[in-house]
């Protein structure tokens, strides 16, 4: 497993990002290629390479990650109108960074199905 994905470097503050939330469990920052008016990525400080890895993860740690995704979305003001949470996994899922990350997308009506 590489420790040098772009998200490892954002977490260690080696490279800058527009951070919107940080606590002991997660870091949340704006996506560099936003697909919606609000597009924020949430990464856990405990690294998993992707969603598949959660099969073997400690449920409490996974819970901390997921509760923070909801908290960040709320702090972004998205609860009233709604939003989407996306976790791309693997090649067919279009995952491009091998560090699990949840996309929070909102600020407009989103279409379905995804491409
Ligand atoms: P995914 O396809 O699910 O692996 O999404 C990766 C996202 O990461 C993609 O929407 C673009 C974003 N991204 C890639 N490099 C950077 C970066 O250096 N900074 C920030 N803020 N976002 C990045």
């Amino acid at each position: 497993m590489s420790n040098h994905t772009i998200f490892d470097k954002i977490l260690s503050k080696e490279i800058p990002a527009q951070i919107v939330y940080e606590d002991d469990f997660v870091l949340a920052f704006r996506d560099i290629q936003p697909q919606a008016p609000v597009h924020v990525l949430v990464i856990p400080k405990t690294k998993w390479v992707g969603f598949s890895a959660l099969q073997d993860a400690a449920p409490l740690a996974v819970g901390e990650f997921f509760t923070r995704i909801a908290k960040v979305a709320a702090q972004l003001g998205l609860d009233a109108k709604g939003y989407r949470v996306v976790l791309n996994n693997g090649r067919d899922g279009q995952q491009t960074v091998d560090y699990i990350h949840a996309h929070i997308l909102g600020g407009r009506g989103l279409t379905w199905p995804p491409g």
Side-chain angles (χ1 to χ4, degrees):
M1 180 200 313
S2 168
N3 282 327
H4 294 97
T5 71
I6 200 81
F7 294 168
D8 287 283
K9 291 177 181 167
I10 288 174
L11 184 59
S12 65
K13 312 281 166 72
E14 256 176 87
I15 66 166
Q18 286 184 50
I19 293 169
V20 298
Y21 179 86
E22 181 169 17
D23 67 14
D24 288 346
F25 297 98
V26 302
L27 182 72
F29 51 93
R30 295 197 188 275
D31 195 293
I32 207 167
Q33 294 174 313
Q35 303 300 318
V38 179
H39 188 170
V40 164
L41 302 172
V42 186
I43 63 170
K45 292 190 173 179
T46 298
K47 182 179 181 179
W48 299 293
V49 294
F51 190 75
S52 294
L54 296 187
Q55 295 172 82
D56 304 315
L60 208 57
V62 177
E64 299 288 9
F65 178 39
F66 272 76
T67 56
R68 292 328 188 277
I69 297 167
K71 183 172 180 173
V72 171
Q75 289 194 359
L76 291 166
L78 297 175
D79 271 352
K81 288 193 169 177
Y83 57 92
R84 186 172 294 162
V85 176
V86 174
L87 287 113
N88 294 326
N89 188 71
R91 188 190 58 193
D92 279 359
Q94 295 282 318
Q95 182 182 358
T96 60
V97 181
D98 287 337
Y99 191 129
I100 193 171
H101 49 282
H103 298 254
I104 298 173
L105 296 149
R108 66 171 168 84
L110 299 166
T111 56
W112 191 265

